[in-house]
Amino acid sequence: MSNETEIGRGKRGRRAFSFDDIAVVPSRRTRDPEDVSVGWQIDAYHFDLPIVAAPMDSVMSPASAVALGENGGLGVLDLEGLWTRYENPEALLEEIATLPVERATARMQEIYAEPIKPDLITERLREIRRAGVTVAGALTPQRTQEYYKTVVDAGVDLFVIRGTTVSAEHVSGNAEPLNLKRFIYELDVPVVVGGASTYTAALHLMRTGAAGVLVGFGGGAAHTTRVSLGIHAPMATAVADVAAARRDYLDESGGRYVHVIADGGVGHSGDIVKAVACGADAVMLGAALARSSDAPGRGWHWGPEAHHAQLPRGERVEVGTVGTLEEILFGPGRQADGTLNLVGALRRAMATTGYSDLKEFQRVEVVVSPYQPR
């Protein structure tokens, strides 16, 4: 049975689902939440939590990356952000948090016009390494060729290439594009790339040798890509499609497993549950961690799209502050809105449906159950 809908006589579209459109179904078995494992491993690196922090200045500083690492997650630092442009960006972070709405985009464009300094890339990554946690940094595809050697020489453990969308076949008439397959082959560290939102795009990225694929396109709280570019990828369908590509690539490659990381539209604990249910190994969180009192955004959240010099495709949004990083991860929760105790909620959902680890939980039954949450 086709799931295509006729938009008009000359165009048909496939029905796609967001996390709000689906729900997880309990089974015949339940478990004690304490018996549930939420750990995962990518390459040689094991994490107690399936939580990766988005490389955004409102979410991650070197200090918050260390704090998340010490709590069992993975913090990814934006190596094109304020921390690699300014020796001490605290005053600028404070200014961004207090900008009036009508001035926010223009002023952020001015602030981020400061050049990136390679020596600051080195210092920030070494600062994280000195704390003894896994070191991860992110560059966009456009900047990877210029700065990757600095990043690797600084001792990064995981290299993240993250853009609004990343393809294995970028075409440019102006400059030689990044050859992902050759780049990853020559690199000595595992690489996570994305975003991708379709089966075909993800399969091509997996064939480059990537250790993980980020799934999503413009679905985050601070994105306006659907309004500005008319492009959007409902996340439940996107994650399920990329998980199918992982399964097929596993057969094609003779057993090479590529991790799927949901990146976008994962703002509350229930979204994490449904991302894993659709096939994700882990989730990349932006707004959910920007709500921490420890986050550098001071209750505000923005990504690099918000200060693009020519075409901003995001905005600074107020997400508020709900608790410390530890309270957001482990509770206790003081309200029933899915912003606190993210890990406890995931454990309870897995226990309620009878699953003991994340790989098993990817097989849980889901139903299409659209409603209007929050």
Side-chain angles (χ1 to χ4, degrees):
M1 183 178 68
S2 173
N3 65 346
E4 286 193 342
T5 299
E6 184 176 296
I7 297 168
R9 287 176 179 262
K11 181 67 72 172
R12 298 179 68 85
R14 184 166 68 109
R15 179 74 169 92
F17 300 95
S18 70
F19 291 138
D20 285 340
D21 293 322
I22 68 168
V24 171
V25 180
S27 67
R28 64 180 178 84
R29 180 184 292 113
T30 57
R31 294 182 183 274
D32 189 316
E34 296 305 314
D35 295 335
V36 169
S37 169
V38 294
W40 73 299
Q41 182 163 329
I42 181 168
D43 202 82
Y45 303 100
H46 175 84
F47 302 96
D48 293 334
L49 312 178
I51 291 176
V52 182
M56 295 168 144
D57 281 338
S58 58
V59 180
M60 282 287 103
S61 65
S64 58
V66 169
L68 181 59
E70 290 175 341
N71 278 288
L74 173 65
V76 183
L77 191 66
D78 180 7
L79 301 179
E80 300 174 34
L82 295 179
W83 292 94
T84 59
R85 296 174 191 263
Y86 297 92
E87 188 70 39
N88 185 0
E90 289 292 349
L92 292 169
L93 288 163
E94 183 67 37
E95 180 186 352
I96 291 172
T98 57
L99 286 170
V101 173
E102 64 274 9
R103 277 279 298 147
T105 298
R107 177 58 182 143
M108 289 170 70
Q109 288 173 322
E110 294 171 356
I111 291 171
Y112 281 90
E114 179 73 14
I116 297 166
K117 300 174 177 60
D119 60 319
L120 285 179
I121 292 178
T122 299
E123 175 54 33
R124 302 310 184 197
L125 292 175
R126 287 180 177 172
E127 184 178 338
I128 299 171
R129 176 164 296 285
R130 284 194 291 269
V133 300
T134 303
V135 183
L139 292 172
T140 60
Q142 295 86 350
R143 304 270 193 172
T144 296
Q145 293 277 34
E146 184 176 359
Y147 294 114
Y148 84 89
K149 193 173 188 308
T150 300
V151 175
V152 174
D153 288 347
V156 74
D157 295 316
L158 288 166
F159 193 110
V160 178
I161 302 175
R162 183 179 187 258
T164 305
T165 186
V166 176
S167 74
E169 298 182 20
H170 178 67
V171 178
S172 174
N174 299 317
E176 182 182 357
L178 175 67
N179 184 321
L180 271 176
K181 188 169 186 175
R182 184 177 65 201
F183 175 80
I184 293 173
Y185 178 78
E186 293 175 353
L187 217 56
D188 290 331
V189 299
V191 179
V192 176
V193 298
S197 57
T198 67
Y199 171 95
T200 301
L203 187 59
H204 280 274
L205 288 178
M206 291 171 186
R207 288 169 176 164
T208 67
V213 172
L214 301 172
V215 184
F217 184 98
H223 286 71
T224 60
T225 49
R226 185 166 186 167
V227 174
S228 57
L229 298 184
I231 305 176
H232 177 62
M235 281 296 289
T237 296
V239 172
D241 282 349
V242 175
R246 174 187 61 203
R247 177 199 63 211
D248 292 347
Y249 179 69
L250 189 68
D251 292 338
E252 174 188 306
S253 63
R256 185 172 181 272
Y257 188 91
V258 179
H259 292 82
V260 173
I261 303 170
D263 177 15
V266 192
H268 295 79
S269 55
D271 301 323
I272 300 174
V273 171
K274 289 184 272 191
V276 178
C278 287
D281 298 289
V283 295
M284 179 169 274
L285 302 182
L289 298 181
R291 299 187 186 106
S292 161
S293 57
D294 313 287
R298 296 157 171 79
W300 292 84
H301 180 47
W302 66 91
E305 299 83 6
H307 51 77
H308 191 280
Q310 285 83 38
L311 182 63
R313 302 179 302 281
E315 56 191 355
R316 183 202 60 165
V317 296
E318 187 171 12
V319 295
T321 299
V322 298
T324 65
L325 175 62
E326 289 195 8
E327 288 171 334
I328 286 174
L329 293 175
F330 307 115
R334 292 182 296 276
Q335 58 256 9
D337 62 358
T339 60
L340 291 170
N341 200 358
L342 304 181
V343 177
L346 176 60
R347 285 183 179 278
R348 187 164 295 275
M350 293 171 63
T352 300
T353 52
Y355 293 89
S356 61
D357 61 47
L358 296 174
K359 296 304 300 178
E360 284 189 359
F361 190 59
Q362 290 173 351
R363 300 195 298 267
V364 69
E365 182 182 354
V366 299
V367 294
V368 177
S369 176
Y371 74 120
Q372 297 298 321
R374 298 181 290 280

